[in-house]
Amino acid sequence: MSTTLEMERSSTQPVVDYEETALTLGLPGVSRAGGWDQQERKRGFSETVHLLDGSSGIEPRGGEDLGDESPDCAASGADRRRASKERVVGWPPVRSHRKNALRGCTYVKVAVDGAPYLRKVDLETYSGYHHLLTALHEMFSCFTIRDRRLVDPVKGTDYVPTYEDKDGDWMLVGDVPWK
Amino acid sequence: MTYFPEEVVEHIFDFLATHRDRNTVSTVCKTWYRVERLSRRSVFVGNCYAVHPERVVARFPGLRSLTVKGKPHFADFNLVPHDWGGFALPWIEAAARGCPGLEELRMKRMVVSDESLELLARSFPNFKVLVLISCEGFSTDGLAAIATYCRVLRELDLQENEVEDRGPQWLSCFPDSCTSLVSLNFACLKGEVNAGSLERLVARCPNLRTLRLSRAVSVDTLSKILARAPHLVDLGTGSFTIDHRAEAYHKVMGNFIKCKSLRSLSGFWDAAPHCLPAVYPICGNLTGLNLSYAPAIQCADLIKLIRQCSKLQRLWILDCIGDKGLAVVANTCKELQELRVFPSDFYGGGIAAVTEEGLVAVSSGCPKLNSLLYFCNQMTNAALITVAKNCPHFTRFRLCILDPKKPDPVTNQPLDEGFGAIVQSCKDLRRLSLSGLLTDRVFLYIGMYAERLEMLSIAFAGDSDKGMVYVLNGCKNLRKLEIRDSPFGDAALLEDVGKYETMRSLWMSSCDVTLGGCKALAAKMPGLNVEVINEMDESDEMEENPCDLDKVEKMYVYRTVAGPRNDAPDFVWTL
C-alpha cells in the first residue's frame, strides 16, 4: 500500500485526495509545492494525533527535511492554511442554513466491544482526535487511555479506535486530518 | 374613461396582473388613484425601509395580501451584521390597526419575534397564508400561537429560517377543528416532532397538497402519512433513513406507489443510497426534485434515480453528481427549466466535482433551460459561448466558480468573453451573478447588451471605476446591484447619482468607496438612505476619528420615502 502511494506521489500530477488521506502525512500547513520528502513517511499514531491537533512542542520524528519547518512554524502553518481557507467571509456564497444543514451530519455511533450499549457523539464538538479520545474515555469510563488506546484495566486488553468509512472499510482513527 | 362609473374602472383594474401596472395606473389622476388604492388587495414592499408601514396600510385599507422583504441579499452570506434590522413587528402592528381583513403575509430576510407572530395570530380572523423565508428571531412558541389562533389557516410555509426549538408541542396546537390546511412546510425545524399529532393533523386535512417534513420525522411516520394522504402533490420526505429491515422499506415503497399526484420531492436528509429505490415508482411523474441535502448519495445512485425522471422541470442537486451525472440529466430531462448545482465541499480545493463540461452537456440536451445556479471549480470562455448559443432563454444565470478570480484554465484569459456571450444571447436575462477572473470589459458588455437585467451580483471583479459606470449607464432596468471586493470607488459611485432613485438598492462592500464619497452621495440625494456599516473592531480608530478618506467597509444605499430609519443599531450610520 505505501509503495503504491509513493509511486503516486512521484508522478507530476499529485491527486488531491491522496494527499488528504495518505499515511505519509506532513505537518498541517506545510507548503506542498516543495514536494514530499521520502524520509518523512510513516509516523506513529501518537505523533500523528499530536500533529493533527496542531499542538506545538512536538518534534517530528526523523530529520528536518520538511523544508525547515519547526513545530511552531507548523502550528502557525496550520493557522495560515486554515486562515487562508476561511479568510474570505461569505465565500462561496452559500446560505448558512445550507452550510449548517450539510455540516450537521457529524453524529457518529461509537461501539466498544464488550460495552453493553452504543453511544452517539457529535464530531463537531471536538477540536481534535485527542479531545475525541478523552471524551470517549469519559463515556466508556470503565476504560482508561494509555498511548492513545483505550485500555481495559481488568483484562489488560487494549482497544484501538477504528471507524467504518463510507466505503464500508474499517479504518484506524487518526490518519485523516481532523477537518 | 372619465365617464365610466368607478365600479367599471375598478373592474377594469382587476385585469391588471402585476404590481407595476397597478402602480402605474394609480398615477394617472386622482380618481384613478382613489379607485386603485381602495380596490388594491395585494401589495409588495421590496425593501421594508423604503416606506413606513403606517403609510402602506393607510393607503390600502382593503389589503388582503402583504409581502415585505428586509435585509439585503448579501445577508445570506453573513455579510450583514446580525442586528442590522429588518423587523417584522412594525408591519404587523400597522396591519393589525389598519387592515383587519389581512389574509396573507409573506416575509423574506426579516427578524420576526414570537411576540409579532402572536400579534399576527390574534389580529386577523381571516388569516390564511403565512410564508417566512430566511427569517430569524422566532421559536416554536411563535408557531404554536399561529397554530392555535388562525382558525382558517391554509398555508404555513417556513423556508430556511433559523427557528429556536422550544419543543414539539406547537404541532399539537392545531385544534381538532382545523381542517383547512393545504400547505405545511416545516422542513427547516431542528427539534423533535410529535408523530402522533402530525399524523392526526394530516388525516383531518383532506385538502393538504404540500407537506414538507423536518429531519426529525422518521420514515415510519412518513409511511403512515403517505397512507393517509395519497393525494399529496409536493412532499419533503423528512429524514429518509431506512433501516435495512425489509419491512419498513417495502411499506414506504408501497405507500409511495399510491401517491399518483406526487410531482415534487425534496428532503432526503441523511438518505443513504439504498433508500432511493423506494421512490422509483413515482419518478416518472416528477417535475421537481431536490436532492441537495443528501450528501451521502453519490454519482452512481443519483444517475440511477435521474434516469427515471424524464419529466423533470426543476432539479436541485449537489456537485457530487459530477459531469458524468449531468450528462445523464442532459439525456433524460428534456423538459428541464431550472437547474441548481450546489457545492458539497464549501472550502474548495477538493475533488473537481463539476466543471464546464457538465454545464455544456446540460445546455445542449435541455433546450428549455432558463434558470441556472451553478457552483463549479472552473469555467472556460468556450463553454460559456456554447451555453449561450444553446440556451438563449436564460432569465436567471448565476455562476459561482469557487476559486475567486480564477481565469479560463485553458487559455488563462479572463471570462469576459464568455459572460459577454451570455448577455448578448439571452435577451430576457433578468438576473446575473458573475465569478472568475473578470476585467472592466465584461461590464462593458453587460451595459451594452443586458437590457432587461434587474439584478446583478459582482464579486472580485473589474479593474477600475469604468466597470461600474458601464453598468450604471447601460442597464436601464437595473433594480438591485450588489458588489463585493471589487476596485470601484467614489468616482464610480458619484458618476450618476440620479440612477439610484430608479433602483431599489445598491450594496458595496470591501470596495474602494470612501466615507467622503458616501457623504457626498447622501448630500446630493436626500431621497436615498446611505447607510455605512461599521462593525466593531479591536482597533476603534475608525470609530473615534472617522476620516473622509477612510475606505468604507460596507455601504448600503436605497431609495426611500420614509427618511432615515429610527431603528438602526449603533454600528449603522445613516449619512
Side-chain angles (χ1 to χ4, degrees), chain B residues 16-76:
Chain B
L16 298 173
T18 65
H19 295 291
R20 194 165 290 174
D21 287 341
R22 286 201 70 120
N23 294 345
T24 305
V25 300
S26 71
T27 63
V28 166
C29 64
K30 282 202 178 118
T31 307
W32 282 29
Y33 178 87
R34 194 180 66 247
V35 171
E36 199 284 317
R37 79 174 188 91
L38 293 174
S39 61
R40 185 75 160 261
R41 297 288 168 253
S42 168
V43 167
F44 172 83
V45 179
N47 174 4
C48 64
Y49 290 120
V51 61
H52 284 304
E54 293 76 24
R55 193 159 153 181
V56 173
V57 156
R59 179 172 166 185
F60 304 110
L63 200 54
R64 300 236 178 98
S65 160
L66 176 63
T67 304
V68 188
K69 297 172 84 171
K71 298 184 195 181
H73 173 237
F74 274 175
D76 283 354

Side-chain angles (χ1 to χ4, degrees), chain B residues 237-313:
Chain B
T237 64
S239 85
F240 221 68
T241 37
I242 308 182
D243 281 348
H244 293 270
R245 298 177 304 158
E247 193 202 325
Y249 179 87
H250 285 296
K251 201 152 68 127
V252 82
M253 188 194 264
N255 285 329
F256 263 115
I257 293 174
K258 293 188 201 136
C259 296
K260 307 276 183 219
S261 311
L262 212 46
R263 294 289 172 269
S264 174
L265 272 186
S266 60
F268 296 101
W269 310 96
D270 310 316
H274 60 260
C275 312
L276 289 186
V279 305
Y280 285 177
I282 46 107
C283 282
N285 293 332
L286 289 182
T287 57
L289 180 61
N290 182 353
L291 286 166
S292 64
Y293 287 103
I297 304 179
Q298 296 299 307
C299 179
D301 298 291
L302 287 173
I303 285 177
K304 270 189 240 159
L305 180 65
I306 287 172
R307 273 204 215 284
Q308 315 200 35
C309 302
S310 56
K311 296 208 185 126
L312 221 49
Q313 294 173 18

Side-chain angles (χ1 to χ4, degrees), chain A residues 15-168:
Chain A
V15 177
V16 173
D17 47 340
Y18 275 117
E19 294 197 20
E20 288 291 319
T21 60
L23 288 170
T24 59
L25 286 163
L27 296 168
V30 170
S31 157
R32 298 210 153 100
W36 293 84
D37 179 73
Q38 303 283 338
Q39 307 286 42
E40 290 307 315
R41 286 295 154 154
K42 294 189 183 160
R43 300 192 175 283
F45 175 69
S46 53
E47 275 124 336
T48 311
V49 170
H50 279 294
L51 292 170
L52 292 168
D53 280 351
S55 44
S56 54
I58 305 297
E59 294 290 343
R61 191 171 58 160
E64 303 304 306
D65 315 70
L66 285 164
D68 299 317
E69 296 283 325
S70 71
D72 290 308
C73 257
S76 60
D79 290 328
R80 249 184 283 124
R81 177 153 158 261
R82 220 175 298 125
S84 72
K85 284 198 165 175
E86 294 172 29
R87 173 185 44 197
V88 187
V89 173
W91 193 266
V94 175
R95 278 187 184 163
S96 347
H97 184 265
R98 174 170 293 279
K99 277 188 181 164
N100 294 338
L102 285 180
R103 207 195 305 159
C105 328
T106 48
Y107 270 91
V108 293
K109 281 188 198 168
V110 181
V112 175
D113 284 346
Y117 45 78
L118 282 65
R119 300 296 301 267
K120 240 187 178 173
V121 298
D122 181 358
L123 294 178
E124 281 251 286
T125 58
Y126 306 112
S127 54
Y129 285 110
H130 186 83
H131 193 186
L132 169 66
L133 284 170
T134 314
L136 290 179
H137 166 235
E138 276 159 33
M139 276 189 185
F140 296 93
S141 53
C142 40
F143 303 112
T144 53
I145 297 187
R146 193 188 304 150
D147 292 339
R148 306 292 163 261
R149 293 153 188 248
L150 290 177
V151 178
D152 181 347
V154 172
K155 291 191 198 155
T157 52
D158 44 1
Y159 295 82
V160 178
T162 56
Y163 66 95
E164 185 178 6
D165 76 359
K166 63 183 185 221
D167 298 322

Side-chain angles (χ1 to χ4, degrees), chain B residues 153-262:
Chain B
L153 194 69
R154 256 187 8 218
E155 235 180 276
L156 177 59
D157 187 1
L158 306 171
Q159 297 180 32
E160 298 191 338
N161 303 290
E162 288 303 319
V163 185
E164 189 195 331
D165 176 51
R166 298 235 181 109
Q169 53 274 16
W170 71 274
L171 201 57
S172 318
C173 290
F174 283 104
D176 290 339
S177 55
C178 172
T179 58
S180 49
L181 278 179
V182 172
S183 171
L184 177 62
N185 172 10
F186 60 92
C188 63
L189 296 188
K190 292 177 272 211
E192 290 301 310
V193 171
N194 186 322
S197 289
L198 177 60
E199 290 164 36
R200 284 190 295 278
L201 180 61
V202 170
R204 67 177 182 272
C205 293
N207 298 322
L208 196 65
R209 295 292 173 269
T210 296
L211 181 63
R212 295 192 180 190
L213 306 170
S214 66
R215 211 164 181 167
V217 178
S218 69
V219 163
D220 277 341
T221 306
L222 172 65
S223 211
K224 291 186 193 143
I225 286 173
L226 290 179
R228 304 268 215 174
H231 37 264
L232 282 176
V233 173
D234 183 325
L235 174 71
T237 64
S239 85
F240 221 68
T241 37
I242 308 182
D243 281 348
H244 293 270
R245 298 177 304 158
E247 193 202 325
Y249 179 87
H250 285 296
K251 201 152 68 127
V252 82
M253 188 194 264
N255 285 329
F256 263 115
I257 293 174
K258 293 188 201 136
C259 296
K260 307 276 183 219
S261 311
L262 212 46

